[in-house]
Amino acid sequence: MLEPTWSKQKQGRTRYVPARQLANRDLAQVLRVLDADPVASCMIAARLQEFGLDNRAGHGELWSRGAPSESLCFSGANLVPLRGDRDALRAFADRAVRWPRVASSVVGRQELALPLWEMLTVRWGPARELRSAQPLLALGQPPLATPDPLVRRARPDELERYLEAAIAMFIEEVGVDPRAGDGGRGYRRRIQSLIESGRAWARFEDGEVVFKAEVGSLSRRTGQIQGVWVRPDRRGQGLGTAGTATIANAVVASGRTASLYVNDYNTVARRAYGRIGFRQIATFATVLLD
């Protein structure tokens, strides 16, 4: 068990303050809190706006050790600390290790994710990969780069071709095959859902995907772009810049801020996003787990 979290009482004594699971009665307050940091909280805000805080459907839990404005952490396929001091992070870590781990990563603002991981590493470590500095980028106006007119939303009948490219991207980016474990059924459902909702974009040439990306999370204020990939033999030709500009333009045109985060060492991608007009507003960190 991790060292418990304690809080001072008026009498000078200390008491344990655990993290608790929030419920739908807390939803309005939570959404107001997330709205104060709409880009960094996009992944969670989008989920809560769609599913609320009812965990019976298996969409994850939201934790706090007090008011949501002071401490907040999402627990699901990812463990995402959203706000809180060190005592709050300790409470989140304490709760997380009480049950078998379901998260495949710890991700969020660097100043929250890395301290939380330090508290979890004895029980959950070692990490498969630590990406300690990932610039979080945002664009709130039309892109500076010219969008690619051949990049469009993928159609449901193009699922198989798009899925092939998505799997290649996932293996290259994450280092594991998304088909492992269940034969790819879960990942296929995810990609199919993105295509059916109009959030998967691609450029096809001779029936093959040469560029792809998705708006992985879409909240009321932010669209987070993910999975940017260019077929290896077409790299260095500007397809990534122009294709991402197309998607960013669509997000901005919808009245939202376009966002993404990128590894700090990926200088090629960072230059491309800079040409589009993306600017860094924060730094994320991601801990990939086995």
Side-chain angles (χ1 to χ4, degrees):
M1 193 71 165
L2 292 172
E3 176 187 345
T5 302
W6 301 90
S7 178
K8 293 285 185 180
Q9 291 182 310
K10 290 182 180 179
Q11 296 86 349
R13 293 173 296 176
T14 58
R15 63 185 177 88
Y16 179 57
V17 182
R20 63 185 177 90
Q21 182 179 345
L22 300 181
N24 267 328
R25 63 180 176 272
D26 304 300
L27 181 60
Q29 185 180 3
V30 168
L31 290 177
R32 285 194 297 271
V33 171
L34 298 183
D35 204 42
D37 192 15
V39 175
S41 66
C42 174
M43 290 184 291
I44 308 308
R47 184 182 298 265
L48 296 184
Q49 287 162 8
E50 182 174 1
F51 301 111
L53 280 169
D54 187 346
N55 187 44
R56 288 177 295 180
H59 296 297
E61 301 177 355
L62 203 64
W63 303 337
S64 179
R65 69 186 291 264
S69 60
E70 297 174 354
S71 63
L72 212 53
C73 182
F74 176 80
S75 174
N78 305 303
L79 187 65
V80 186
L82 295 157
R83 59 176 54 206
D85 58 15
R86 191 165 184 85
D87 284 343
L89 295 177
R90 175 65 65 178
F92 297 148
D94 187 26
R95 186 178 179 97
V97 300
R98 291 179 185 174
W99 296 281
R101 175 172 63 83
V102 297
S104 61
S105 71
V106 178
V107 59
R109 282 181 171 271
Q110 183 188 62
E111 63 270 24
L112 297 173
L114 292 183
L116 179 58
W117 173 243
E118 290 176 3
M119 299 171 185
L120 289 167
T121 186
V122 172
R123 296 288 295 273
W124 282 10
R128 179 166 57 81
E129 185 177 351
L130 174 61
R131 301 177 179 182
S132 60
Q134 298 174 301
L136 176 65
L137 311 179
L139 177 68
Q141 58 191 16
L144 302 177
T146 302
D148 185 345
L150 298 181
V151 170
R152 57 171 175 79
R153 289 178 170 87
R155 300 188 304 264
D157 64 293
E158 295 169 325
L159 171 61
E160 297 303 330
R161 286 171 290 172
Y162 192 95
L163 182 61
E164 182 179 347
I167 291 170
M169 178 282 305
F170 196 98
I171 293 173
E172 182 177 347
E173 173 65 20
V174 182
V176 297
D177 192 326
R179 297 166 293 185
D182 67 351
R185 291 185 297 275
Y187 190 67
R188 180 188 180 91
R189 285 194 299 270
R190 169 65 173 164
I191 296 301
Q192 183 175 5
S193 175
L194 288 170
I195 290 176
E196 290 175 349
S197 63
R199 288 158 48 192
W201 296 70
R203 172 172 171 153
F204 289 86
E205 293 181 359
D206 298 324
E208 300 296 325
V209 175
V210 296
F211 165 86
K212 64 154 288 284
E214 301 95 37
V215 181
S217 296
L218 188 67
S219 72
R220 293 168 188 159
R221 295 188 58 186
T222 306
Q224 186 176 91
I225 300 170
Q226 66 175 33
V228 178
W229 178 85
V230 176
R231 200 172 69 188
D233 65 318
R234 297 299 307 278
R235 294 175 184 175
Q237 301 174 22
L239 292 180
T241 301
T244 305
T246 299
I247 304 169
N249 191 50
V251 171
V252 171
S254 74
R256 297 174 171 89
T257 296
S259 176
L260 53 81
Y261 58 99
V262 59
N263 294 316
D264 63 338
Y265 54 78
N266 192 343
T267 56
V268 173
R270 293 185 65 181
R271 284 196 299 267
Y273 300 143
R275 288 193 292 270
I276 294 169
F278 281 98
R279 294 294 178 265
Q280 184 173 355
I281 63 167
T283 302
F284 265 25
T286 300
V287 183
L288 298 175
L289 307 174
D290 285 321

